[in-house]
Amino acid sequence: MIDPPLSSLGAKVVVVTSGDEEHPPENIIDGDSRTFWMSTGMFPQEFIICFAESTKVSAVTVDSYNVKHLKIEKNTSRYASQFESVTEKEFEHTDGHLQSNSISLNGSSATHLRFIITSGYDHFVSVHRVSVPQLPS
Amino acid sequence: MVKLRARCLLLGDAAVGKTALSHMFHNDGTLFQKNYSMTAGVELLMKCVNIPETSDSVELYLIDSAGKQTLVEACEKMWGELSMLCLVFDLTSEQSFVNCSYWMERVRAHCQGLHIPGILVGNKSDLTARREVQASVAQEWAQSRGMEYHETSAKEKENCDALLLSLAQTFHSLYQERRSAIQNLSPG
Ligand SMILES: Nc1nc2c(ncn2[C@@H]2O[C@H](COP(=O)(O)OP(=O)(O)O)[C@@H](O)[C@H]2O)c(=O)[nH]1
Ligand SMILES: [Mg+2]
């Protein structure tokens, strides 16, 4: 089953550190792994996905390039603040093709997911798609 | 429009003029002093440089490090993650040029495989009579390592802007290179 783009479900994405107008953060949730958001130097880098409503998240799939270490935090608040940490993962380096990692989030509910890239395999990293498998409700 | 950010380490022997150069950038030249105390730790300052003929810019976070051998261990911990290197030597000191290889090695070990783009700077170009390092030799050394070479005088405020621009352009080119590589990636 192909997960619908998060954007079509009313999700939004905001970045704290953004740089390249041609590769905006919206590319992360458009469901297309050919479009991407790219970091523009130094770590950490982060982006936050805001769901339209509280959503049960069992896992996320992250398609990226040159990401080394990723932390995920969440909250259930209306605001993008006061996050609690959920998990973190070290990604394997890939050469010439995207990294694709599925990360389990224990099915907890969230209104915001915060992704913090603490290190990379290069000065710049890109995130091409974050998708959330739909849970039967 | 692209806004890049780079953490750039000023590195080289003690007394080559790293602090004088960084103060030039900071205050656009108004703060050159005859007597600096030896830099004790690290100092951070930020300078935003526009890339000509584009709407792109690079925020350079310059880290001035101590060049005193005994302080290096302590300072290296504070280098953190580096984006770029600005390697400085004194044109009137052959030894400070020879030691550039040593500094490069330190950075390479520190960064564990990550390629750190950089430029080479021969400072104190105003002291022409005391010059010990020929431009062609330094140029060749830099070129063989893929670095740009510049000569500056922090004292006479010579060429300091060119140095900043060169740093910014080096990082900007790297970004463009990486971005087109990413555009050509195959899906995972
Ligand atoms: N003549 C001349 N002296 C310089 C120049 N740059 C720095 N100096 C002097 O060299 C000495 C060491 O400079 P400093 O910036 O502290 O070196 P650092 O240890 O590399 O940070 C100071 O006395 C400066 O005034 C320059 O371009 N020309
Ligand atoms: Mg100094």
Side-chain angles (χ1 to χ4, degrees), chain B residues 144-168:
Chain B
S144 69
R145 285 159 182 82
M147 300 162 91
E148 295 253 329
Y149 175 62
H150 294 274
E151 294 193 349
T152 56
S153 165
K155 190 179 176 203
E156 306 292 334
K157 309 175 179 109
E158 281 275 317
N159 228 12
C160 296
D161 287 347
L163 188 163
L164 276 182
L165 185 59
S166 176
L167 276 171

Side-chain angles (χ1 to χ4, degrees), chain B:
Chain B
M1 190 186 80
V2 183
K3 274 185 89 165
L4 303 176
R5 295 189 311 156
R7 219 176 128 86
C8 177
L9 180 69
L10 286 158
L11 191 62
D13 280 7
V16 297
K18 299 180 298 298
T19 302
L21 279 171
S22 74
H23 283 211
M24 290 287 308
F25 307 149
H26 201 27
N27 300 288
D28 300 300
T30 51
L31 208 125
F32 185 88
Q33 284 172 2
K34 289 260 151 41
N35 287 305
Y36 286 126
S37 59
M38 202 80 86
T39 318
V42 296
E43 210 183 320
L44 184 77
L45 51 99
M46 197 275 270
K47 188 92 189 175
C48 190
V49 183
N50 294 316
I51 305 290
E53 285 153 44
T54 69
S55 53
D56 302 349
S57 60
V58 183
E59 274 176 16
L60 292 171
Y61 292 80
L62 296 158
I63 310 160
D64 180 17
S65 66
K68 231 177 163 182
Q69 216 89 348
T70 48
L71 285 172
V72 169
E73 292 297 336
C75 284
E76 206 177 304
K77 292 191 183 74
M78 295 164 83
W79 291 358
E81 277 180 69
L82 300 177
S83 319
M84 283 211 290
L85 177 64
C86 181
L87 199 52
V88 187
F89 70 94
D90 178 346
L91 286 164
T92 68
S93 157
E94 170 83 34
Q95 191 58 44
S96 74
F97 174 61
V98 170
N99 287 347
C100 285
S101 301
Y102 164 79
W103 294 118
M104 282 281 273
E105 213 35 64
R106 289 299 289 250
V107 170
R108 191 167 303 154
H110 177 82
C111 294
Q112 303 170 339
L114 183 64
H115 162 72
I116 306 294
I119 66 168
L120 179 68
V121 177
N123 187 44
K124 307 195 187 179
S125 62
D126 54 290
L127 303 174
T128 41
R130 287 170 46 196
R131 182 190 274 264
E132 288 185 7
V133 183
Q134 291 317 306
S136 58
V137 178
Q139 176 81 53
E140 199 171 302
W141 190 94
Q143 213 160 35
S144 69
R145 285 159 182 82
M147 300 162 91
E148 295 253 329
Y149 175 62
H150 294 274
E151 294 193 349
T152 56
S153 165
K155 190 179 176 203
E156 306 292 334
K157 309 175 179 109
E158 281 275 317
N159 228 12
C160 296
D161 287 347
L163 188 163
L164 276 182
L165 185 59
S166 176
L167 276 171
Q169 275 172 331
T170 299
F171 201 65
H172 187 248
S173 319
L174 183 74
Y175 178 77
Q176 290 185 313
E177 210 175 279
R178 295 297 198 265
R179 188 176 58 182
S180 53
I182 288 172
Q183 271 157 343
N184 295 323
L185 286 176
S186 47

Side-chain angles (χ1 to χ4, degrees), chain A residues 22-36:
Chain A
E22 281 178 42
H23 298 278
E26 291 73 36
N27 287 349
I28 294 171
I29 55 167
D30 67 358
D32 185 348
S33 66
R34 286 167 305 184
T35 62
F36 58 89

